[in-house]
Amino acid sequence: MAPILRILGIETSCDETAAAVVERDAEGVPTVRSDVVLSQLEEHSAYGGVVPEIAARAHVEALDTLIDEALKRANVSLSDIDAIAATSGPGLIGGLLVGLMTGKAIAKASGKPLYAVNHLEGHALTARLTDGLSFPYLMLLVSGGHTQLILVRGVGEYERWGTTIDDALGEAFDKTAKLLSLPYPGGPAVERAAKSGNPQRFKFPRPLVGEAKLNFSFSGLKTAVRQAATEIAPLTDQDVADICASFQDAVSRTLKDRIGRGLERFKGLYPDVEQPALVVAGGVAANLVVRGTLQALCDKNRFRFVAPPLHLCTDNAVMIAWAGLERMAKGVAPDDLDVQPRSRWPLDSSAETLLGFGKRGAKA
C-alpha cells in the first residue's frame, strides 16, 4: 500500500496569508491537519479595496510565523512533510513572489519537491477534498477577480466554457457598495442592505441573457446602478436597500440563464453521468441569494449542488496543498526551483482570450 502523502501549502495571491498541512492516504482520502489564515481586511478597509504594496508587505511580515503555526497545529516537523505547494498565480505579483520564494527556500533547504500551483486549480479541485466528487463536473468560480464556468475533466484537464468579458461578479459587488457608500468588503455589505429592499423597484439590465455563448458581463449592470443612484440622489437608507436588492435580483436572473445553459450543455455531453454536479467557489459563493439561485437551478436540472464550506471557498492554503497532492497522486513531476510567478495564468490555456493579452500572458 502506498504511504500517506503530506504537503505543506502556502497561499499569498491576494489579501489573505495562509498556510496548511494536508494529507492524502493510499485510497485518496484527505485529512486536513492544519489550516491557518490571516486576513488583511483591516489593512485595506480604509482604502475601499486591496492595495498591492500593503498586501505584499503584510505577507512578508506574517508568512514565516503562519507556516510555523501550521506545522505546530499539525503536530509535524518539516522532516515529516513530503512536498511543498505554493500558489504561483494568478494574483498580485508582489504577494505571489513572497509565497513562491518562501516555498522555494523551504524546498531547497529541506530537499523536498516543490509544486507551483495555479490558484484556480485549487478552487477547481476543492470539492474532491470536501465531497469526494468524481470527474467530470462543472465549476462556477465567482470572486473579486474571476467569474468563470469551467468543465473539470480531471487533474490538469480543464475547459473554460464561459468567462466575464469585463468585470468579475465580486468586483461588481464591491464597486456597487463603494458607489453607495457601503463598507468594504462590498459583497457582504450589499447583501445585508438588500434584505430590507424591494428587488422590483429598479429594472436593472441582465447582461447577455439569451446569448448562446456562456460568457458573463457585469460592467453595464454596474453602470446602470450608478445612473439610478445619481438620478435619485441624495439617497435614503431605503433607496440604498432597494438598489442593492434590485442589483442582486439582476445578478440572480443573469446567473440563472448563464448557468442553466451550462447545465444543459453538460447533460448533452455526458448523458451517462449518474449524478452530475455543479460546484461553486469563490467569495461570492457566500451570498445567500446566489446560492439559492444555483441550488434551485440544480434541483430543477437534477444536478447535485456542491458548495464547499465558506472558509474553503475563499482564499486558503488547504486547497493549494490539496492541488499539490492531486498532482503527486497523478504522478505529475514537481516544478523546477526556477519557476516564476504569473500574475495572469488561465486554467484553460487554449481558451479564447477575452480580457487582454500581454507579456505576462492571458488575463482570462
Side-chain angles (χ1 to χ4, degrees), residues 224-270:
V225 168
R226 180 185 297 111
Q227 291 173 340
T230 301
E231 288 174 1
I232 62 173
L235 302 177
T236 66
D237 289 345
Q238 189 60 53
D239 291 332
V240 170
D242 291 345
I243 290 174
C244 289
S246 300
F247 169 81
Q248 281 196 155
D249 182 68
V251 167
S252 175
R253 293 175 183 273
T254 299
L255 290 177
K256 183 177 180 180
D257 176 83
R258 306 283 76 210
I259 306 307
R261 291 171 182 270
L263 300 186
E264 290 293 336
R265 179 176 173 180
F266 186 95
K267 289 191 291 185
L269 284 175
Y270 299 101

Side-chain angles (χ1 to χ4, degrees), residues 18-352:
V21 175
V22 181
E23 296 175 349
R24 177 185 174 122
D25 69 13
E27 303 300 321
V29 178
T31 300
V32 178
R33 294 288 298 271
S34 65
D35 176 17
V36 185
V37 181
L38 179 64
S39 173
Q40 299 177 10
L41 180 60
E42 290 186 7
E43 287 88 339
H44 301 284
S45 59
Y47 304 96
V50 178
V51 181
E53 293 80 3
I54 293 176
R57 287 199 298 270
H59 290 312
V60 170
E61 294 171 358
L63 185 55
D64 288 352
T65 301
L66 262 65
I67 290 173
D68 185 56
E69 180 66 20
L71 293 172
K72 287 180 178 178
R73 291 189 187 182
N75 197 27
V76 298
S77 65
L78 195 54
S79 62
D80 300 314
I81 299 296
D82 295 300
I84 314 299
T87 302
S88 185
L92 301 176
I93 194 65
L96 293 171
L97 278 166
V98 174
L100 185 57
M101 291 299 291
T102 301
K104 287 182 181 182
I106 296 173
K108 178 68 174 178
S110 64
K112 309 291 184 180
L114 172 73
Y115 286 88
V117 174
N118 186 315
H119 179 89
L120 307 184
E121 182 169 45
H123 282 302
L125 298 176
T126 296
R128 286 174 50 78
L129 181 153
T130 59
D131 292 79
L133 280 190
S134 299
F135 300 119
Y137 54 86
L138 277 178
M139 177 187 70
L140 172 64
L141 176 59
V142 277
S143 67
H146 299 89
T147 301
Q148 297 185 0
L149 183 63
I150 296 171
L151 171 64
V152 183
R153 290 197 300 260
V155 177
E157 300 176 37
Y158 310 101
E159 184 177 319
R160 195 195 74 199
W161 283 6
T163 188
T164 179
I165 63 175
D166 39 58
D167 292 346
L169 181 52
E171 182 181 0
F173 268 96
D174 285 341
K175 290 182 176 178
T176 294
K178 190 171 184 178
L179 173 70
L180 299 175
S181 299
L182 295 174
Y184 176 83
V190 169
E191 184 176 15
R192 284 194 300 270
K195 290 179 180 179
S196 58
N198 175 9
Q200 304 303 319
R201 179 177 172 186
F202 298 94
K203 303 300 181 183
F204 291 137
R206 293 139 192 190
L208 300 185
V209 166
E211 290 285 334
K213 289 186 177 181
L214 300 179
N215 293 321
F216 305 86
S217 172
F218 297 105
S219 180
L221 174 57
K222 179 189 64 182
T223 300
V225 168
R226 180 185 297 111
Q227 291 173 340
T230 301
E231 288 174 1
I232 62 173
L235 302 177
T236 66
D237 289 345
Q238 189 60 53
D239 291 332
V240 170
D242 291 345
I243 290 174
C244 289
S246 300
F247 169 81
Q248 281 196 155
D249 182 68
V251 167
S252 175
R253 293 175 183 273
T254 299
L255 290 177
K256 183 177 180 180
D257 176 83
R258 306 283 76 210
I259 306 307
R261 291 171 182 270
L263 300 186
E264 290 293 336
R265 179 176 173 180
F266 186 95
K267 289 191 291 185
L269 284 175
Y270 299 101
D272 297 328
V273 174
E274 290 186 8
Q275 191 176 32
L278 172 70
V279 176
V280 63
V284 183
N287 184 285
L288 294 180
V289 172
V290 170
R291 283 200 180 209
T293 297
L294 297 176
Q295 180 70 70
L297 199 56
C298 285
D299 291 345
K300 179 182 178 181
N301 288 274
R302 297 182 179 178
F303 268 66
R304 178 182 177 186
F305 177 57
V306 178
L310 180 58
H311 71 283
L312 295 181
C313 282
T314 52
D315 294 351
N316 65 90
V318 170
M319 70 178 187
I320 303 304
W322 178 250
L325 285 168
E326 289 265 53
R327 288 168 64 181
M328 289 183 74
K330 189 179 179 180
V332 177
D335 292 282
D336 295 331
L337 292 183
D338 61 357
V339 64
Q340 297 298 309
R342 301 168 62 177
S343 59
R344 300 181 180 185
W345 190 3
L347 203 52
D348 179 1
S349 59
S350 65
E352 177 187 5

